[in-house]
Amino acid sequence: MTKSAIDLFCGAGGLSAGLEMAGFRVLAGNDCFEAAGKTFSATHPNAQFIPGPIEDLSVERLMRVTGLKKGELTVLVGGPPCQAYSVYNHKRGMHDRRATLFREYLRIVEGMKPEWIVMENVKGIYSIGGGEAVRTIKAELAALGYDVEEAVLKAEDFGVPQERRRVVFIGNRLGLPISHPDPTHGPDRAHPFTTIQDAIGDLPEIENGEDPGAPAYRTEASSAFQRQLRGNATHVTQHAAPRLGKVNMDRLPHIPQGGSWRDIPHELLPAGMKRAKRSDHTKRYGRMRWDGLACTILTKCDIHWGAYIHPEKDRAITVREAARLQSFPDYFEFFGSKTEQYIQVGNAVPPLLGKAIGEHLLTLMSHQVRRAA
């Protein structure tokens, strides 16, 4: 029987895409980001996107849309912001909306009573209140009958060509064992890390500010990663380079692969960076290495923020390149403005990380089948 999933705070649907790769049937997604909702709807045709804030999402509507009754959902997934919830007994209390969002997530858990839950959050959640956030999350879910364990997962350990850390909570109300997926990529593992060359080396060569439309791929797929993400696609979409101004274009030729702002002549540096310590801003004006991993893809692939300069071309990476580095299949079309497209890509759970989580969930669920037998 196909396992069902609902994705709260779904964004463009990176985690949903990964679960579908693993064999789950995603029935619905909810988010208040309109452009992301259009992307989710277009790329998850078998799921119902429910727009609007989670505060307005009733359990009754979820059941009506999915056809499920309480207790029938296999897994509820989502990444509610938890930064404020850790201190809700103290100064900020429930005044911070981010704390309320986690409360809303708990409301859906209580109403739907899924067999399993998966939550993801930034690694920084461990430092909030000396770990109080994590303890509180687990205590609140325990009060609803869920055993929960969390672990830090590294996206690159699962074939994503990017250094990205996320805390993943996995829980169930069935009394079954809980664990997290074992790494599959890296030294002394089944597969090497997926490099930037593996990830984007087949995409058309373009210059600063160039929009080629929907060109054909530059080469045949030369890596398993490229073959997987290309699927049946024959042309590349959303591969337009942001236009950098002259002052930045004067800086970029000085930066080698693996280099950064430190390689820019002092007289060409922004005024604020002329006073910076050499140990500061380690990723700013960084140029990617073909044989390396990307830094964490953020909601703005701005060269002032991090290493978002193409390995060879003097330009910033495109939406498609950012999506590849997040392991989004090429059939994903991101809706909205260019800014909104980058936000959707950067906010997402990398689909290949979602796939690893989904496949591991199925393994954990097999214990339930054996126990029933």
Side-chain angles (χ1 to χ4, degrees), residues 157-177:
D157 286 348
F158 302 95
V160 180
Q162 174 196 167
E163 294 177 344
R164 192 181 190 94
R165 309 285 182 269
R166 283 298 182 271
V167 179
V168 176
F169 296 80
I170 296 177
N172 70 73
R173 58 172 175 78
L174 307 171
L176 295 174

Side-chain angles (χ1 to χ4, degrees), residues 214-236:
Y217 291 96
R218 184 171 67 86
T219 65
E220 293 294 318
S222 60
S223 68
F225 183 89
Q226 291 172 15
R227 285 189 292 273
Q228 180 178 9
L229 267 60
R230 280 163 68 152
N232 297 323
T234 57
H235 290 76
V236 182

Side-chain angles (χ1 to χ4, degrees), residues 7-116:
D7 191 352
L8 303 179
F9 310 95
C10 63
L15 182 50
S16 284
L19 291 176
E20 288 173 344
M21 290 177 192
F24 283 81
R25 183 169 177 234
V26 178
L27 301 178
N30 167 252
D31 204 285
C32 59
F33 186 4
E34 182 180 354
K38 291 179 180 177
T39 302
F40 184 93
S41 295
T43 51
H44 300 82
N46 297 317
Q48 177 73 41
F49 178 73
I50 306 172
I54 191 172
E55 295 95 327
D56 296 342
L57 178 62
S58 69
V59 170
E60 292 72 24
R61 185 175 184 189
L62 268 179
M63 290 181 177
R64 186 169 65 251
V65 163
T66 60
L68 295 174
K69 297 183 176 65
K70 185 173 183 177
E72 291 183 345
L73 177 65
T74 309
V75 58
L76 181 72
V77 304
C82 300
Q83 289 87 338
Y85 186 69
S86 61
V87 291
Y88 85 96
N89 281 325
H90 306 294
K91 292 181 181 177
R92 273 186 287 179
M94 293 301 286
H95 303 298
D96 191 313
R97 180 173 179 267
R98 294 172 302 177
T100 310
L101 292 177
F102 180 67
R103 278 281 178 209
E104 296 293 330
Y105 179 85
L106 288 174
R107 174 179 62 81
I108 303 296
V109 172
E110 184 174 20
M112 292 298 297
K113 210 67 176 174
E115 294 180 346
W116 292 79

Side-chain angles (χ1 to χ4, degrees), residues 155-163 185-187 191-203 222-226 229 257 288-295 311 321 324-327 352:
E156 64 268 31
D157 286 348
F158 302 95
V160 180
Q162 174 196 167
E163 294 177 344
H185 291 65
H191 307 282
F193 284 134
T194 303
T195 66
I196 291 172
Q197 176 78 56
D198 296 331
I200 66 172
D202 63 325
L203 298 179
S222 60
S223 68
F225 183 89
Q226 291 172 15
L229 267 60
Q257 286 192 36
M288 297 176 173
R289 296 175 56 101
W290 280 126
D291 61 354
L293 295 166
C295 65
E321 287 166 335
R324 279 282 189 95
L325 296 170
Q326 275 276 61
S327 74
L352 285 186

Side-chain angles (χ1 to χ4, degrees), residues 334-345:
F334 299 93
F335 285 76
S337 68
K338 188 69 67 67
T339 296
E340 290 173 325
Q341 292 167 19
Y342 279 110
I343 289 171
Q344 289 170 60
V345 173

